[in-house]
Short mmCIF file of all heavy atoms in Angstrom, two decimals:
data_model
loop_
_atom_site.label_atom_id
_atom_site.label_comp_id
_atom_site.label_asym_id
_atom_site.label_seq_id
_atom_site.Cartn_x
_atom_site.Cartn_y
_atom_site.Cartn_z
N LEU L 44 87.21 89.03 87.24
CA LEU L 44 88.09 88.29 86.34
C LEU L 44 89.46 88.96 86.40
O LEU L 44 89.69 89.98 85.74
CB LEU L 44 87.54 88.32 84.92
CG LEU L 44 86.03 88.03 84.78
CD1 LEU L 44 85.60 88.08 83.33
CD2 LEU L 44 85.68 86.69 85.40
N TYR L 46 93.35 88.76 85.80
CA TYR L 46 94.47 88.11 85.13
C TYR L 46 95.81 88.62 85.66
O TYR L 46 96.86 88.28 85.14
CB TYR L 46 94.40 88.36 83.62
CG TYR L 46 93.18 87.81 82.93
CD1 TYR L 46 91.98 88.52 82.93
CD2 TYR L 46 93.22 86.58 82.28
CE1 TYR L 46 90.85 88.01 82.29
CE2 TYR L 46 92.10 86.08 81.62
CZ TYR L 46 90.93 86.80 81.63
OH TYR L 46 89.81 86.30 81.00
N PHE L 70 87.90 84.58 89.35
CA PHE L 70 89.23 84.00 89.51
C PHE L 70 90.22 85.13 89.76
O PHE L 70 89.99 86.27 89.37
CB PHE L 70 89.63 83.12 88.31
CG PHE L 70 89.50 83.80 86.96
CD1 PHE L 70 90.49 84.65 86.48
CD2 PHE L 70 88.38 83.57 86.15
CE1 PHE L 70 90.39 85.25 85.24
CE2 PHE L 70 88.26 84.18 84.91
CZ PHE L 70 89.27 85.03 84.44
N ALA L 73 95.47 84.44 86.05
CA ALA L 73 95.26 83.87 84.72
C ALA L 73 95.47 82.35 84.76
O ALA L 73 94.76 81.60 84.09
CB ALA L 73 96.23 84.51 83.74
N SER L 76 92.47 80.18 85.38
CA SER L 76 91.33 80.31 84.48
C SER L 76 91.68 79.61 83.16
O SER L 76 92.82 79.19 82.94
CB SER L 76 91.06 81.78 84.20
OG SER L 76 92.00 82.28 83.27
N SER L 77 90.72 79.58 82.25
CA SER L 77 90.99 78.93 80.96
C SER L 77 91.91 79.75 80.06
O SER L 77 92.26 79.30 78.97
CB SER L 77 89.67 78.65 80.23
OG SER L 77 89.08 77.51 80.78
N ALA L 78 92.32 80.95 80.54
CA ALA L 78 93.34 81.71 79.80
C ALA L 78 94.60 80.85 79.68
O ALA L 78 95.30 80.89 78.66
CB ALA L 78 93.67 83.01 80.52
N ALA L 79 94.85 80.03 80.72
CA ALA L 79 96.02 79.16 80.71
C ALA L 79 95.92 78.13 79.57
O ALA L 79 96.92 77.58 79.12
CB ALA L 79 96.18 78.46 82.06
N LYS L 80 94.69 77.85 79.11
CA LYS L 80 94.51 76.90 78.00
C LYS L 80 94.46 77.62 76.66
O LYS L 80 94.25 77.01 75.62
CB LYS L 80 93.20 76.12 78.18
CG LYS L 80 93.12 75.32 79.45
CD LYS L 80 91.76 74.61 79.48
CE LYS L 80 91.54 73.90 80.79
NZ LYS L 80 90.13 73.44 80.89
N GLY L 81 94.53 78.95 76.71
CA GLY L 81 94.55 79.71 75.46
C GLY L 81 93.22 80.38 75.12
O GLY L 81 93.05 80.89 74.01
N GLU L 82 92.26 80.42 76.07
CA GLU L 82 90.98 81.05 75.74
C GLU L 82 91.14 82.57 75.65
O GLU L 82 91.88 83.18 76.42
CB GLU L 82 89.93 80.73 76.81
CG GLU L 82 88.55 81.26 76.41
CD GLU L 82 87.41 80.81 77.34
OE1 GLU L 82 87.52 81.04 78.56
OE2 GLU L 82 86.43 80.24 76.83
N SER L 83 90.44 83.20 74.71
CA SER L 83 90.50 84.66 74.57
C SER L 83 89.61 85.33 75.61
O SER L 83 88.65 84.72 76.11
CB SER L 83 90.03 85.07 73.17
OG SER L 83 88.65 84.83 73.05
N VAL L 84 89.94 86.59 75.89
CA VAL L 84 89.12 87.37 76.83
C VAL L 84 87.69 87.50 76.29
O VAL L 84 86.72 87.47 77.03
CB VAL L 84 89.76 88.76 77.04
CG1 VAL L 84 88.88 89.65 77.89
CG2 VAL L 84 91.12 88.62 77.70
N SER L 85 87.56 87.62 74.97
CA SER L 85 86.23 87.77 74.36
C SER L 85 85.37 86.54 74.62
O SER L 85 84.19 86.66 74.94
CB SER L 85 86.36 87.96 72.85
OG SER L 85 87.12 89.08 72.58
N ASP L 86 85.96 85.35 74.45
CA ASP L 86 85.18 84.14 74.70
C ASP L 86 84.84 84.02 76.19
O ASP L 86 83.73 83.64 76.56
CB ASP L 86 85.95 82.88 74.26
CG ASP L 86 85.88 82.68 72.74
OD1 ASP L 86 85.24 83.51 72.07
OD2 ASP L 86 86.46 81.69 72.26
N THR L 87 85.82 84.35 77.04
CA THR L 87 85.58 84.22 78.48
C THR L 87 84.40 85.11 78.88
O THR L 87 83.49 84.67 79.59
CB THR L 87 86.85 84.59 79.28
OG1 THR L 87 87.91 83.74 78.87
CG2 THR L 87 86.64 84.44 80.78
N ILE L 88 84.38 86.35 78.41
CA ILE L 88 83.31 87.26 78.86
C ILE L 88 81.94 86.84 78.32
O ILE L 88 80.94 87.00 78.99
CB ILE L 88 83.63 88.75 78.52
CG1 ILE L 88 82.70 89.69 79.28
CG2 ILE L 88 83.51 89.03 77.03
CD1 ILE L 88 82.92 89.77 80.75
N ARG L 89 81.92 86.24 77.11
CA ARG L 89 80.64 85.75 76.60
C ARG L 89 80.05 84.71 77.53
O ARG L 89 78.85 84.67 77.78
CB ARG L 89 80.84 85.05 75.25
CG ARG L 89 80.87 86.03 74.13
CD ARG L 89 80.71 85.30 72.83
NE ARG L 89 80.79 86.27 71.76
CZ ARG L 89 80.45 86.02 70.52
NH1 ARG L 89 80.02 84.83 70.18
NH2 ARG L 89 80.53 86.95 69.62
N VAL L 90 80.93 83.84 78.03
CA VAL L 90 80.48 82.78 78.92
C VAL L 90 80.09 83.36 80.28
O VAL L 90 79.04 83.03 80.84
CB VAL L 90 81.60 81.71 79.05
CG1 VAL L 90 81.24 80.68 80.09
CG2 VAL L 90 81.84 81.06 77.69
N ILE L 91 80.94 84.27 80.80
CA ILE L 91 80.66 84.86 82.11
C ILE L 91 79.34 85.64 82.08
O ILE L 91 78.63 85.73 83.08
CB ILE L 91 81.83 85.78 82.56
CG1 ILE L 91 83.14 84.98 82.68
CG2 ILE L 91 81.51 86.50 83.87
CD1 ILE L 91 83.17 83.90 83.72
N SER L 92 79.00 86.17 80.91
CA SER L 92 77.71 86.89 80.77
C SER L 92 76.53 85.99 81.12
O SER L 92 75.46 86.47 81.47
CB SER L 92 77.52 87.38 79.33
OG SER L 92 78.49 88.33 78.98
N ILE L 100 87.17 93.46 85.32
CA ILE L 100 88.27 92.75 84.68
C ILE L 100 89.58 93.50 84.86
O ILE L 100 89.66 94.70 84.56
CB ILE L 100 88.03 92.60 83.15
CG1 ILE L 100 86.68 91.95 82.89
CG2 ILE L 100 89.16 91.81 82.48
CD1 ILE L 100 86.41 91.64 81.43
N HIS L 102 93.61 93.12 83.60
CA HIS L 102 94.38 92.38 82.60
C HIS L 102 95.70 93.09 82.32
O HIS L 102 95.74 94.32 82.31
CB HIS L 102 93.54 92.28 81.31
CG HIS L 102 93.95 91.15 80.42
ND1 HIS L 102 95.07 91.23 79.62
CD2 HIS L 102 93.41 89.91 80.22
CE1 HIS L 102 95.20 90.07 78.96
NE2 HIS L 102 94.21 89.26 79.30
N LYS L 104 97.21 93.37 79.54
CA LYS L 104 97.24 94.00 78.21
C LYS L 104 96.34 95.23 78.17
O LYS L 104 95.15 95.15 78.49
CB LYS L 104 96.74 93.03 77.14
CG LYS L 104 97.77 92.05 76.69
CD LYS L 104 97.57 91.69 75.21
CE LYS L 104 98.55 90.62 74.79
NZ LYS L 104 97.93 89.30 74.70
N GLY L 106 93.80 97.72 76.97
CA GLY L 106 92.64 97.59 76.07
C GLY L 106 91.87 96.29 76.22
O GLY L 106 90.80 96.14 75.62
N ALA L 107 92.36 95.32 77.00
CA ALA L 107 91.66 94.03 77.10
C ALA L 107 90.22 94.18 77.62
O ALA L 107 89.29 93.59 77.06
CB ALA L 107 92.46 93.04 77.95
N PRO L 108 89.98 94.99 78.68
CA PRO L 108 88.58 95.15 79.12
C PRO L 108 87.70 95.79 78.05
O PRO L 108 86.52 95.47 77.92
CB PRO L 108 88.70 96.05 80.36
CG PRO L 108 90.11 95.88 80.83
CD PRO L 108 90.93 95.67 79.59
N VAL L 110 88.07 95.38 74.76
CA VAL L 110 87.76 94.30 73.81
C VAL L 110 86.66 93.42 74.40
O VAL L 110 85.69 93.08 73.72
CB VAL L 110 89.05 93.48 73.49
CG1 VAL L 110 88.71 92.23 72.71
CG2 VAL L 110 90.06 94.34 72.75
N ALA L 111 86.79 93.08 75.67
CA ALA L 111 85.78 92.24 76.33
C ALA L 111 84.41 92.91 76.26
O ALA L 111 83.39 92.25 75.99
CB ALA L 111 86.17 91.98 77.78
N SER L 112 84.38 94.22 76.44
CA SER L 112 83.08 94.91 76.49
C SER L 112 82.33 94.80 75.17
O SER L 112 81.10 94.82 75.15
CB SER L 112 83.27 96.39 76.88
OG SER L 112 83.80 97.11 75.79
N THR L 113 83.06 94.66 74.07
CA THR L 113 82.38 94.58 72.77
C THR L 113 81.65 93.25 72.60
O THR L 113 80.77 93.13 71.76
CB THR L 113 83.37 94.77 71.59
OG1 THR L 113 84.30 93.67 71.61
CG2 THR L 113 84.13 96.08 71.68
N LYS L 114 82.02 92.23 73.38
CA LYS L 114 81.37 90.92 73.27
C LYS L 114 80.48 90.61 74.47
O LYS L 114 79.88 89.55 74.54
CB LYS L 114 82.43 89.80 73.19
CG LYS L 114 83.38 89.94 72.04
CD LYS L 114 82.69 89.62 70.73
CE LYS L 114 83.66 89.81 69.57
NZ LYS L 114 82.98 90.06 68.31
N SER L 115 80.45 91.54 75.43
CA SER L 115 79.80 91.23 76.69
C SER L 115 78.31 91.55 76.66
O SER L 115 77.89 92.53 76.03
CB SER L 115 80.47 92.07 77.80
OG SER L 115 79.84 91.81 79.01
#
Side-chain angles (χ1 to χ4, degrees):
L44 315 181
Y46 298 83
F70 53 81
S76 77
S77 281
K80 300 180 186 169
E82 186 172 55
S83 69
V84 174
S85 301
D86 281 1
T87 302
I88 194 69
R89 277 195 182 193
V90 173
I91 299 296
S92 296
I100 306 185
H102 202 282
K104 279 213 185 103
V110 170
S112 74
T113 64
K114 301 288 178 203
S115 179

